[in-house]
Every structure is written in C-alpha cells, then in structure tokens.
Amino acid sequence: FTETVLTGVSAGVIGLDSDARINLPNRSALELLEMSMDDIIGEPLSTVAPEIQDLLQEAQNRPTKRAEGQIKLVRKGRPHMLLVRVVGDRAGNQGYVVTFDDITELVAAQRTSAWADIARRIAHEIKNPLTPIQLSAERLKRKYLSQVTSDPETFTNCTDTIIRQVGDIGRMVDEFSAFARMPSPKFDRENLNELVQEAVFMQQVAHPETTYETRLPETSVTLNSDRRQIAQAMTN
C-alpha cells in the first residue's frame, strides 16, 4: 500500500534502513537519480547520491532527526537543483526517509528576477544624469562655438562626441529596461536570411571602414520567432 501511494507522488522519496541503505525508492526518485530499481535497492545512500550524505549526517546528529537544504545533483552532465529533506523514522526503527523536489526551474526564475531588478536599478540610476549632460553639451556648442577662435574644429568634435556617447548610453539603458520588463515575444514565420541581411546592413552603415561578408543559403530559411528580438540578438 505504501509503495502504491508513493508511486503517485511527484517528489522523489527514498526510504533508508538503520544502516542508511536504500530499501524503498519511488518512481520519481528513480527518474531524478536516473537509476533503475535493481541499481538502487540495498545500496548505501552515500554511493547512490553522495550529494545528500551531508544532510543525512546532519539529521543523524540532531535531536529532532531532521535536516533540510538545497543540493546540486548532476546526472549525465545535466545539473538539477534539489530541495532535500531528511527525516528520522518516528517508529524508532533508526531508519530515515529522504524526500526531494526538483526546483531547477524555480531557481532559474528567481535568478532571472534578480537580474531584472538589477537592470531596473541600473537603468534608473544611469538615465537620470543623461539628459542634463546632453543639454549642457548642446548649450556649450550653441553658445560658445562662435567665440572659439583657436581650434573650433576640436571644440565641435568634443561636444559632438559627448552628445553621441550620451545617446549610446541612453540606448544601452533602454536595453536594460527592456530586459527588466522581459517583453513577451510575438511569434510569426520570419525569413532568417532577411533578418541576417538587415543586421549586417546596419553594421555596414555604422562601420564603413569594415568589410562584412555573409554566407547565406540560396533557399529561404524560415523561423517561428519574434522578429524584433531575433534582430536584436544578432545585432548584439
């Protein structure tokens, strides 16, 4: 009956005897560990999942016989973040029950959210002084260019550089803001050849001193994608 119940549980569950050998794994545990029932039954936990061994020892040393923590489990080159709980057998048999949930996607979502928050803060802090810097440079050029007699060309180049660089920083900040908002893609069938050609053309215009070469297939390559985001990725 216990085995039947555990079969329908999404979390991985492993029963350990008093010697910390596995005697009852459920299907989810076998899938996460990528092992078969024959491989795991009777084997020490330290051999099957050494990553959990520290938590087991922590539970053994505590009066409550409980321990919980996050571990990184790597199987066949694929990493998984697991939330693991180890609980001692209340019946006094000196055994333990280990349960673990795969929280890989949750951790990734939290990391993305943290980066988005950083992006919002950076965008806010940088964008505040940009407008007064640009306006000041434009005012200097407009008011004092006629008064500069020794080297007006250098004066013009310097003020134009300030204005141009402020514009570049502003666009970079807009990209930070776009990341912070994480806009939802709008999918459509797009011609990848055209997207590449458009991206290369913009670079040719921006950097005429550089020679660009493209190698594209003769037939069109279509992609189900967000045109703007794919174009931005290629530009980046």
Side-chain angles (χ1 to χ4, degrees):
F1 174 76
T2 302
E3 292 174 351
T4 303
V5 172
L6 292 179
T7 300
V9 177
S10 60
V13 181
I14 294 177
L16 304 176
D17 62 17
S18 57
D19 295 323
R21 292 182 179 272
I22 298 172
N23 56 19
L24 182 61
N26 73 341
R27 183 176 58 189
S28 296
L30 296 175
E31 291 175 354
L32 285 171
L33 296 174
E34 298 188 11
M35 301 182 73
S36 67
M37 186 73 75
D38 293 336
D39 294 333
I40 200 173
I41 289 292
E43 294 294 326
L45 179 67
S46 57
T47 301
V48 174
E51 301 88 346
I52 306 177
Q53 184 63 27
D54 288 343
L55 281 175
L56 175 61
Q57 292 179 349
E58 184 178 337
Q60 290 172 335
N61 295 330
R62 286 184 172 180
T64 59
K65 301 300 180 183
R66 291 174 176 266
E68 180 177 319
Q70 292 184 18
I71 67 164
K72 183 177 182 180
L73 185 74
V74 180
R75 290 294 182 270
K76 296 182 181 178
R78 293 179 297 180
H80 298 275
M81 289 299 299
L82 303 181
L83 177 61
V84 182
R85 302 177 183 87
V86 182
V87 181
D89 186 356
R90 293 182 179 180
N93 298 322
Q94 305 302 316
Y96 286 83
V97 176
V98 180
T99 62
F100 42 91
D101 296 284
D102 191 343
I103 58 172
T104 306
E105 294 184 2
L106 176 61
V107 172
Q110 290 175 337
R111 186 179 297 116
T112 299
S113 177
W115 276 112
D117 183 60
I118 293 173
R120 282 191 294 268
R121 293 174 183 271
I122 291 176
H124 177 73
E125 295 297 332
I126 292 179
K127 207 160 189 177
N128 281 341
L130 290 184
T131 300
I133 291 175
Q134 182 173 355
L135 292 177
S136 297
E138 292 173 348
R139 184 178 181 185
L140 286 171
K141 181 180 179 181
R142 185 171 57 251
K143 186 172 182 178
Y144 295 106
L145 179 59
S146 60
Q147 302 179 27
V148 177
T149 57
S150 59
D151 193 357
E153 184 178 353
T154 300
F155 179 80
T156 301
N157 289 337
C158 289
T159 52
D160 287 346
T161 298
I162 294 173
I163 296 170
R164 184 172 59 254
Q165 293 298 320
V166 166
D168 291 342
I169 295 173
R171 284 187 290 274
M172 181 185 68
V173 170
D174 289 338
E175 291 183 3
F176 268 113
S177 298
F179 172 76
R181 289 193 298 271
M182 295 297 290
S184 299
K186 298 179 180 178
F187 290 101
D188 202 353
R189 299 300 298 178
E190 302 291 350
N191 188 333
L192 191 57
N193 293 17
E194 292 180 359
L195 292 175
V196 172
Q197 289 173 331
E198 291 173 3
V200 173
F201 177 75
M202 287 192 296
Q203 298 304 313
Q204 289 174 328
V205 173
H207 307 284
E209 73 282 358
T210 303
T211 301
Y212 293 87
E213 179 184 353
T214 57
R215 300 186 186 91
L216 300 175
E218 296 180 359
T219 57
S220 297
V221 178
T222 58
L223 184 70
N224 189 37
S225 65
D226 182 298
R227 184 182 185 89
R228 186 191 64 79
Q229 293 190 19
I230 290 293
Q232 182 179 0
M234 287 191 291
T235 299
N236 290 342

